[in-house]
Amino acid sequence: MLKQERWVDTTDHYKLYVRTWGNEQLPAMVLVHGYPDNQEVWEKMIPSLIQHFYVVTYDVRGAGRSSVPKKIVSYRLPQLANDLESVVNRVIANRPFHLAAHDWGSIQTWEAVTEPRFKGRILSYSTISGPCLDHAANLLRKVVKAEPLQLVKLLGKSWYIGVFHMPLLAPTFWKHSSERQWQTFLTQLERQKGLPVSKRISTDGQFGINLYRANFIPAFIKPRQRYAQCPVQAIVLKHDRFVSPEYIAEMPNWVEDFSCVEVDANHWAVLSQSSHIADLISAFALKH
């Protein structure tokens, strides 16, 4: 695999570590990782994706080899959309691109997908286990009014979000975590041995908490009206321990060209079923 590395400056003067893969003459595909991962989480998919696409991956701020801002406000969604724009402007100039993202990568890239300035620039979007926070907040408001008991079910899988807002508990947990512990966790969750684990898992876990702290409360206090500017495919993981599939039901209200596919997998299907997920992303992008 042909791989190149580079650094990209952000609009607020930080550095993002970027890798590009394959033939740059092919259509561009940008992949954005979630939490507590870095861009290494996509590497099992790269051999499949570069058959059709010039692939761009990057460590989001606070993860991998990218800069770690100290202020929580530096992790707000509009800035994360600016980061995506900085990466594509530097790497593929004015070309349009396909986009796929997992977990917090998906949550943050919804900001760009629903931003009018990206209309025509983002050709397709595959979202995996990460709803738009504004869409999620609007759904929860509907549930509170119509079916209050349903709210418990929706929020039941998201208990960890409250923990991540506690000043000391979550950082302390990650400081005492190890690659071996995370490997054991992934093995049990995905029921598959030998899944790759980043050597940076402890630090990525510590710093990435700021993504939650910067965005969840503002979004749920005052959700915005956010409409997708491109076709969207939701890849729904049927056994996801952390994201409720019910959020997918809200997406058609905000997406004009929407499709959905279910996968018999848990949260880290990007690792445990990497070939299948890559095929789904490719097939959807090739249609657009």
Side-chain angles (χ1 to χ4, degrees):
M1 286 189 301
L2 179 62
K3 176 181 72 175
Q4 294 184 333
E5 303 171 308
R6 66 188 78 189
W7 297 91
V8 170
D9 293 323
T10 69
T11 56
D12 56 346
H13 312 296
Y14 292 104
K15 299 280 188 182
L16 299 176
Y17 176 60
V18 181
R19 290 175 174 172
T20 56
W21 313 76
N23 180 358
E24 61 182 325
Q25 301 303 315
L26 292 174
M29 167 76 72
V30 181
L31 307 176
V32 186
H33 69 84
Y35 172 89
D37 302 310
N38 58 48
Q39 65 181 300
E40 294 172 8
V41 77
W42 298 110
E43 290 189 9
K44 291 181 69 177
M45 291 191 191
I46 301 297
S48 175
L49 291 173
I50 60 174
Q51 295 179 38
H52 304 287
F53 305 100
Y54 178 54
V55 177
V56 180
T57 63
Y58 65 99
D59 292 331
V60 305
R61 55 179 58 208
R65 294 172 62 183
S66 290
S67 297
V68 182
K70 294 182 179 180
K71 295 181 179 179
I72 291 178
V73 69
S74 298
Y75 294 83
R76 292 295 302 275
L77 290 172
Q79 182 57 59
L80 298 175
N82 289 343
D83 287 355
L84 172 64
E85 189 171 30
S86 295
V87 169
V88 295
N89 285 348
R90 174 69 177 83
V91 175
I92 60 173
N94 297 318
R95 293 170 57 191
F97 60 94
H98 299 278
L99 179 64
H102 173 246
D103 186 80
W104 245 101
S106 181
I107 292 174
Q108 68 173 273
T109 49
W110 270 108
E111 184 74 13
V113 167
T114 56
E115 183 60 44
R117 76 176 189 270
F118 283 93
K119 187 175 180 62
R121 189 82 191 276
I122 301 177
L123 299 173
S124 74
Y125 178 48
S126 288
T127 171
I128 312 166
S129 291
C132 171
L133 292 186
D134 296 289
H135 298 171
N138 280 297
L139 173 63
L140 292 176
R141 289 187 173 205
K142 293 177 185 176
V143 169
V144 167
K145 293 179 180 179
E147 301 178 74
L149 292 178
Q150 181 72 4
L151 185 66
V152 177
K153 180 180 178 181
L154 279 171
L155 296 178
K157 292 185 178 182
S158 304
W159 58 268
Y160 56 92
I161 296 173
V163 173
F164 287 168
H165 280 79
M166 296 180 182
L168 297 176
L169 185 58
T172 301
F173 167 81
W174 283 110
K175 285 179 182 178
H176 293 89
S177 297
S178 66
E179 292 174 55
R180 185 173 180 178
Q181 290 171 321
W182 191 252
Q183 181 86 68
T184 299
F185 168 75
L186 281 180
T187 298
Q188 294 173 344
L189 186 72
E190 301 297 329
R191 298 181 179 180
Q192 189 176 132
K193 295 182 178 180
L195 297 176
V197 173
S198 171
K199 296 183 182 299
R200 300 174 182 267
I201 187 66
S202 179
T203 54
D204 288 348
Q206 291 178 56
F207 300 132
I209 290 169
N210 287 326
L211 293 166
Y212 292 86
R213 294 177 175 175
N215 295 294
F216 268 90
I217 292 176
F220 282 85
I221 289 177
K222 193 176 182 180
R224 302 164 297 168
Q225 305 290 303
R226 305 290 290 184
Y227 292 92
Q229 304 296 310
C230 68
V232 174
Q233 170 182 231
I235 299 176
V236 182
L237 309 179
K238 292 170 63 176
H239 308 294
D240 198 320
R241 281 261 303 269
F242 303 103
V243 179
S244 177
E246 280 81 356
Y247 290 114
I248 306 302
E250 182 69 9
M251 289 185 188
N253 296 323
W254 306 96
V255 181
E256 183 176 345
D257 186 347
F258 177 74
S259 62
C260 178
V261 59
E262 291 188 340
V263 177
D264 189 18
N266 213 312
H267 188 75
W268 269 276
V270 293
L271 293 175
S272 61
Q273 295 194 33
S274 54
S275 295
H276 184 37
I277 300 298
D279 288 344
L280 292 174
I281 292 171
S282 293
F284 184 70
L286 291 169
K287 292 178 182 178
H288 300 89

